[in-house]
Amino acid sequence: MNDTNFIRRGLSLQNFPAYETDIPYIYRILNTINRTQASLEAFPFLNEEVPIMVVDKELLQ
């Protein structure tokens, strides 16, 4: 299925208007969501990791 048709159909099912100028933006947002989801599937417990913080001692003075 064509991605633009998928977006148009999804919008129409929710009774939203499908403006042609908005379709590329919605497509990019969906791609970003899909890439992020793939990252979370690869590293599912990443949110539980403690971040590393490097502090320059000269900045503390």
Side-chain angles (χ1 to χ4, degrees):
M1 178 183 282
N2 190 356
D3 292 330
T4 57
N5 290 335
F6 174 76
I7 293 170
R8 278 192 206 99
R9 179 142 171 79
L11 290 172
S12 67
L13 287 174
Q14 298 178 41
N15 295 323
F16 288 118
Y19 300 114
E20 287 300 317
T21 56
D22 291 344
I23 301 290
Y25 297 109
I26 296 170
Y27 179 75
R28 287 186 202 125
I29 290 170
L30 288 174
N31 279 340
T32 303
I33 292 170
N34 287 334
R35 284 194 313 255
T36 305
Q37 185 177 3
S39 298
L40 288 175
E41 288 173 2
F43 304 102
F45 301 109
L46 187 61
N47 64 329
E48 296 177 5
E49 293 292 324
V50 178
I52 297 172
M53 178 189 266
V54 178
V55 179
D56 188 0
K57 290 182 181 180
E58 292 179 6
L59 293 175
L60 296 176
Q61 295 178 2

